Amino acid sequence: MNASRTSLVDRLRTTARDVGDTHGILYYDTPEQTRFRSYTDLERHARTVGQALTSRGYTTGDMAVIGLSTGLEWADAAWGALYAGMGFIPAPVAGYGTGAAIGERIAGMAAAAEASVFITDSNVLDRLDADALGIPVLLLEDLLDDGDAQAWTAPAIDADTIAYLLYTSGSTGDPKGVVATHGTVVATADAANIIWDSSPSATLVGWAPMHHIMGLMMQVIIPAVNGANAVATATEQFQRRPVFWLQLMSKHKATMSAAGNFAFALCTQLATDDQIAELDLSSMKALFSGSEPVRPETVRAFVERFAPAGITEKMIAPMMTRK
């Protein structure tokens, strides 16, 4: 069978079977506090949420807007929607303006995508006028409490079923809706494995927000599809201390990571000689720079500054930008 013709559900189930107890997503809520979601646990949570959604009448082809206040729960919600046969639309909700502005954004995305439900948590819901969203609201914590993983049945999906709809960040142009099917996402994960190695021997590290394609793919989708370990932290942790990103890469022997051009510039400017002396980044195979214009001078300065830690030009992988 052509691997790209399988669904994301098929691939997570395989990952959980093969490496589920030893591999997963390690999430740093703070530099001192972590939570670990093994792929065995993630797959069980996905079945739980998926069953809870189908028991409420949602089915293959329905769309769910997802907006959560914390990063690790995005994995449960996104995979749960997929396990119900639904597609999902990630929505920015944390630190993105007033409750009214967030509500307007969610309502607009839901209307444009003809979404059936908004999946969120109580912290986000407290900031919103739920009646103004125009669609039912479900709390992720309720879905996890109410669902029955053992009662889950596989949805009628294939490689052509919509997995998610992303609205691009608009960093270099107006936001645009981009549809991804199960087959295209699986093929992307397979290509990442072939070109850069995102197999169970790999570790992907990142801090990009989960509503963004960089965070979603690098920290939730590709690792789970290919069985790689993921290490993630909240965007706020990078904003407070940019070098924390590099320290995570060093500590966990990362092989792949990604960020925007500005992040490389900040690390170059703010990391001290003593901090750099404690880093070992020689395990890196691919360090992507994208989601905004990639500036050669930024890349050169970063490579020069962190060469003592093991960074080389061959590790840097510029990504396509939009205009």
Side-chain angles (χ1 to χ4, degrees):
M1 178 184 294
N2 186 336
S4 66
R5 301 308 298 171
T6 64
S7 74
L8 289 164
V9 172
D10 296 330
R11 293 294 288 267
L12 178 56
R13 297 190 75 187
T14 298
T15 293
R17 181 197 67 203
D18 293 346
V19 296
D21 292 329
T22 59
H23 289 57
I25 304 171
L26 179 65
Y27 192 82
Y28 280 78
D29 290 297
T30 71
E32 295 79 30
Q33 184 177 1
T34 64
R35 291 180 289 156
F36 181 65
R37 184 81 83 246
S38 73
Y39 290 131
T40 296
D41 291 339
L42 176 58
E43 203 274 336
R44 184 177 67 255
H45 286 195
R47 283 187 282 119
T48 301
V49 173
Q51 193 277 331
L53 287 167
T54 56
S55 71
R56 286 165 167 78
Y58 299 103
T59 188
T60 302
D62 288 340
M63 299 295 293
V65 179
I66 298 175
L68 299 165
S69 55
T70 56
L72 186 58
E73 282 66 30
W74 276 89
D76 296 335
W79 282 102
L82 295 173
Y83 266 57
M86 303 173 71
F88 64 87
I89 308 104
V93 295
Y96 281 83
T98 65
I102 294 171
E104 289 178 5
R105 185 181 298 111
I106 293 168
M109 297 170 83
E114 299 182 350
S116 304
V117 64
F118 175 48
I119 299 174
T120 189
D121 56 54
S122 56
N123 289 331
V124 174
L125 188 59
D126 287 344
R127 302 168 59 195
L128 305 176
D129 178 2
D131 294 335
L133 299 180
I135 55 174
V137 177
L138 293 175
L139 296 180
L140 177 62
E141 47 261 48
D142 290 342
L143 295 173
L144 287 167
D145 287 341
D146 298 343
D148 182 354
Q150 297 303 316
W152 175 80
T153 57
I157 60 176
D158 58 25
D160 296 323
T161 302
I162 293 176
Y164 54 76
L165 171 63
L166 290 173
Y167 284 93
T168 61
S169 63
S171 57
T172 58
D174 294 331
K176 302 173 181 65
V178 179
V179 174
T181 65
H182 282 250
T184 57
V185 179
V186 168
T188 299
D190 286 341
N193 192 24
I194 293 169
I195 300 172
W196 296 291
D197 181 13
S198 55
S199 69
S201 64
T203 299
L204 284 64
V205 171
W207 50 264
M210 296 296 190
H211 69 265
H212 192 284
I213 181 61
M214 186 178 285
L216 188 72
M217 288 295 284
M218 291 291 291
Q219 297 154 203
V220 172
I221 302 296
I222 288 178
V225 168
N226 292 338
N229 275 309
V231 177
T233 192
T235 305
E236 306 88 79
Q237 297 302 320
F238 170 81
Q239 292 170 331
R240 291 191 184 107
R241 194 159 62 97
V243 74
F244 183 51
W245 171 39
L246 305 182
Q247 289 169 338
L248 287 181
M249 290 160 52
S250 178
K251 179 177 180 178
H252 295 282
K253 304 299 180 186
T255 58
M256 193 183 304
S257 190
N261 186 87
F262 80 96
F264 294 89
L266 280 176
C267 289
T268 301
Q269 295 164 11
L270 299 178
T272 67
D273 291 344
D274 288 344
Q275 288 171 334
I276 294 173
E278 295 176 349
L279 296 175
D280 179 3
L281 304 176
S282 60
S283 60
M284 292 299 300
K285 294 183 179 180
L287 191 50
F288 299 100
S289 177
S291 295
E292 60 179 275
V294 180
R295 302 188 182 281
E297 61 271 23
T298 302
V299 173
R300 285 194 294 267
F302 179 84
V303 170
E304 180 179 353
R305 182 72 172 128
F306 293 97
I311 291 293
T312 68
E313 291 182 356
K314 292 182 178 180
M315 295 175 182
I316 308 298
M319 298 168 67
M320 181 179 68
T321 60
R322 297 176 299 274
K323 295 183 178 180

